[in-house]
Amino acid sequence: AATKLASAEKLMYFCTDQLGLEQDFEQKQMPDGKLPVDGFLLCVDVSRGMNRNFDEQLKFVSNLYNQLAKTKKPVVVVLTKCDEGVERYIRDAHAFALGKKNLQVVETSARSNVNVELAFGTLVQLVDRSRGKAKIVPYFEALKQQSQQIAAAKDRYEWLVGRAVKSHREAWPDVSRRMRPAPEYQDYVYLEGTQKAKKLFLQHVQRLKREHVERRRRAYLALLPQALDALVPDLDEIDRLSRAEAEKLLEAKPDFLKWFVVLEETPWDATGHADGADGERIPFDLLETPAGERLYEAHLEKLRDERKRAEMRRAFRENLESSPFVTPGKPWEEARSFIMNEDFYLWLEEPVYMDIYGKHQRQLIERAKEDFQELLLEYSELFYELELDAKPSKEKMGVIQEVLGEEQRFKALQKLQAERDALILKHIHFVYHPTKETCPSCAACVDARVEQLLGSRFARPPER
């Protein structure tokens, strides 16, 4: 209860970061000599202490107050540790203050930094009556306001960190130095301290690192099917291998190191592989992860499906070749109904069927045309005694078609009547004007082949 205090060589504390780390900060001491005391903060611990009787504590506080009252200096009762306060202790402390000339009471928590400034401000107002009277805010209301203030400051600080830190490789000393002039940084450090600011920075960096690793994981998984296609494209090579045997086979491939890298430390995402110069190659231990195993199994299934589809394409071609219903010129829409009940029908897509059928039709038509050409040669006598211009009359064409009509080679082109008539006319033209240009064999005409052969054998040497 002294009104003057000696404070020489007392260390000044000026921020929460300094507690316990005094040597890391600039050492400032209180000035020499005596300081006058203008008022008192009478602190009452309202938490549940070990082996402590609150009633006895309150008696000690009452005796202390009696000593303070003799100084005629203003007194403010400060309830401390309200974040762990016992309701009865708080109520009894208020009753004590009410009984002592209605002392002002401020409920505080130093740990949560609630109402600490209010306690000093209230005492300053009692010392200097010219100042405005401080409004006493109950602890829980002040805690709510403080929480809202901290939450808002935290949001602004996190926004600042998100804007300032784009890489998970950033270090706190460099970043904190860049952010120090920003009010968002200053406000949050003032309320919560540098350690909590650093903690939020580290959380942000960890989030960036997780996102970076996840991007690399997706890139590796996207590349893995290509690597498997390149290294083990043959189903027979891996179909009956265990996982361990398959991995040994992959490692033995000449191009293995083009696609994969075997790390000394695993798992890969706990190492710096994704940040290294070699980070583009797939870490081999990724194959042992669930996602890697699924892609390997998908590769096997793809090869099995490809083999099955190849078998189905072959079966479809064989079915077309043996089917009496597939004739030259028959549209796919008419032929489809003959194969819909076959086992292979559901294995292939419609465009694949149409492509195979189209190729088969071209072969059928070509073969049927060749057979029809042979038929025309066999019935050469039908094409004698035509007009001089080698144009058959309507009656003559009727006779030709009537004679040939019973031949199977004629009937084979019944869905291609225009092409069949064109072949007849072409044959007539050849009969009356036999040249290599009108020859039914086209490029395979013997005259044309002889010319080519003679040209290649007796080519003139270049002039010197």
Side-chain angles (χ1 to χ4, degrees):
T3 56
K4 289 186 179 181
L5 298 176
S7 59
E9 300 181 356
K10 298 286 186 181
L11 184 63
M12 293 174 64
Y13 289 86
F14 55 90
C15 73
T16 56
D17 294 340
Q18 192 172 353
L19 298 176
L21 300 171
E22 290 84 358
Q23 301 304 317
D24 295 342
F25 292 83
E26 182 183 356
Q27 301 292 302
K28 289 190 178 182
Q29 295 180 334
M30 298 287 283
D32 294 339
K34 294 187 176 181
L35 296 178
V37 177
D38 299 310
F40 297 93
L41 296 178
L42 181 54
C43 297
V44 183
D45 184 347
V46 292
S47 65
R48 191 184 304 278
M50 293 293 293
N51 302 318
R52 186 182 68 194
N53 185 299
F54 186 75
D55 294 332
E56 294 295 328
Q57 177 182 325
L58 209 53
K59 287 179 182 180
F60 172 80
V61 170
S62 180
N63 292 332
L64 184 55
Y65 171 75
N66 292 334
Q67 297 297 320
L68 297 177
K70 295 175 184 179
T71 68
K72 305 299 183 180
K73 302 289 184 181
V75 177
V76 174
V77 175
V78 180
L79 307 188
T80 66
K81 299 186 181 179
C82 286
D83 55 306
E84 297 179 356
V86 178
E87 187 176 350
R88 183 178 73 82
Y89 297 171
I90 296 173
R91 190 170 56 248
D92 290 350
H94 276 280
F96 158 76
L98 188 62
K100 302 293 184 180
K101 297 183 181 180
N102 200 20
L103 291 173
Q104 294 204 56
V105 180
V106 181
E107 301 171 352
T108 70
S109 168
R111 174 189 290 174
S112 303
N113 192 21
V114 176
N115 279 346
V116 175
E117 290 189 12
L118 177 62
F120 286 93
T122 302
L123 180 59
V124 168
Q125 190 274 328
L126 293 177
V127 172
D128 183 2
R129 293 290 181 174
S130 65
R131 293 175 176 269
K133 189 174 182 181
K135 180 183 177 181
I136 305 300
V137 182
Y139 172 76
F140 286 107
E141 183 179 340
L143 177 63
K144 181 179 179 181
Q145 294 176 1
Q146 175 79 354
S147 300
Q148 291 173 345
Q149 185 181 6
I150 291 174
K154 180 182 178 184
D155 288 343
R156 292 192 295 270
Y157 172 69
E158 288 181 329
W159 170 84
L160 175 66
V161 172
R163 189 180 65 173
V165 182
K166 300 297 185 181
S167 170
H168 64 279
R169 301 183 185 91
E170 293 269 23
W172 171 248
D174 295 334
V175 173
S176 61
R177 186 166 54 253
R178 293 203 309 268
M179 294 192 301
R180 196 166 292 143
E184 295 86 358
Y185 175 85
Q186 295 172 0
D187 291 346
Y188 187 72
V189 168
Y190 174 75
L191 290 171
E192 291 285 76
T194 309
Q195 290 305 311
K196 286 193 176 181
K198 181 179 180 180
K199 181 178 180 181
L200 288 178
F201 159 80
L202 293 175
Q203 290 174 354
H204 177 71
V205 166
Q206 287 298 317
R207 184 163 55 252
L208 290 178
K209 184 173 183 180
R210 288 195 299 271
E211 291 171 357
H212 172 70
V213 169
E214 186 55 33
R215 283 194 298 271
R216 293 307 306 154
R217 186 194 314 277
R218 290 197 295 268
Y220 292 145
L221 292 175
L223 190 60
L224 184 55
Q226 300 176 41
L228 294 175
D229 284 340
L231 297 177
V232 282
D234 186 359
L235 178 63
D236 291 333
E237 196 174 20
I238 58 173
D239 195 16
R240 301 184 183 279
L241 296 184
S242 66
R243 180 60 52 80
E245 291 171 335
E247 289 181 2
K248 288 182 179 179
L249 176 66
L250 283 171
E251 287 187 89
K253 293 292 182 176
D255 287 341
F256 173 76
L257 293 179
K258 173 184 174 182
W259 298 93
F260 291 97
V261 58
V262 180
L263 301 175
E264 294 181 3
E265 298 180 9
T266 55
W268 70 271
D269 50 5
T271 70
H273 172 69
D275 295 329
D278 199 30
E280 297 300 318
R281 289 193 294 165
I282 306 169
F284 197 45
D285 61 296
L286 186 72
L287 266 178
E288 298 175 356
T289 65
E293 291 177 355
R294 286 194 296 270
L295 287 176
Y296 179 79
E297 292 299 325
H299 177 68
L300 275 176
E301 285 303 311
K302 185 187 75 168
L303 294 181
R304 290 167 182 154
D305 286 347
E306 287 176 353
R307 173 180 287 180
K308 187 69 176 178
R309 283 194 293 270
E311 292 173 355
M312 293 301 102
R313 285 194 294 269
R314 186 167 56 253
F316 180 45
R317 284 192 293 267
E318 291 173 355
N319 181 274
L320 290 177
E321 291 171 0
S322 62
S323 174
F325 303 106
V326 179
T327 56
K330 176 170 286 190
W332 164 246
E333 291 73 16
E334 295 181 19
R336 183 198 292 121
S337 59
F338 296 114
I339 63 163
M340 290 180 63
N341 295 326
E342 300 291 341
D343 292 339
F344 52 75
Y345 184 70
L346 298 178
W347 273 89
L348 304 176
E349 296 78 16
E350 185 81 357
V352 177
Y353 288 119
M354 294 175 66
D355 180 63
I356 296 174
Y357 186 78
K359 292 177 181 177
H360 180 69
Q361 270 295 325
R362 286 192 289 274
Q363 293 174 355
L364 275 183
I365 292 171
E366 195 61 35
R367 195 181 308 138
K369 285 182 176 180
E370 291 176 1
D371 291 344
F372 184 65
Q373 190 67 51
E374 290 292 329
L375 176 65
L376 294 178
L377 292 172
E378 292 175 11
Y379 283 84
S380 298
E381 69 275 3
L382 279 175
F383 303 100
Y384 299 156
E385 301 177 359
L386 296 179
E387 302 295 332
L388 293 176
D389 57 0
K391 290 183 179 179
S393 63
K394 193 172 184 181
E395 292 76 12
K396 183 63 175 178
M397 283 294 290
V399 171
I400 292 172
Q401 292 188 2
E402 182 179 357
V403 173
L404 301 178
E406 297 303 318
E407 288 283 346
Q408 183 59 38
R409 286 172 287 180
F410 181 88
K411 294 178 180 178
L413 292 172
Q414 62 183 355
K415 288 186 175 294
L416 300 167
Q417 292 184 16
E419 288 88 340
R420 188 172 61 188
D421 290 346
L423 287 173
I424 293 175
L425 291 175
K426 184 177 180 181
H427 183 74
I428 292 173
H429 196 60
F430 171 68
V431 169
Y432 282 83
H433 303 284
T435 66
K436 62 183 179 183
E437 286 77 15
T438 59
C439 179
S441 299
C442 299
C445 177
V446 172
D447 288 352
R449 296 293 296 275
V450 167
E451 285 184 5
Q452 293 174 3
L453 184 61
L454 292 175
S456 62
R457 288 287 183 89
F458 301 102
R460 293 179 60 183
E463 296 182 3
R464 296 182 181 274

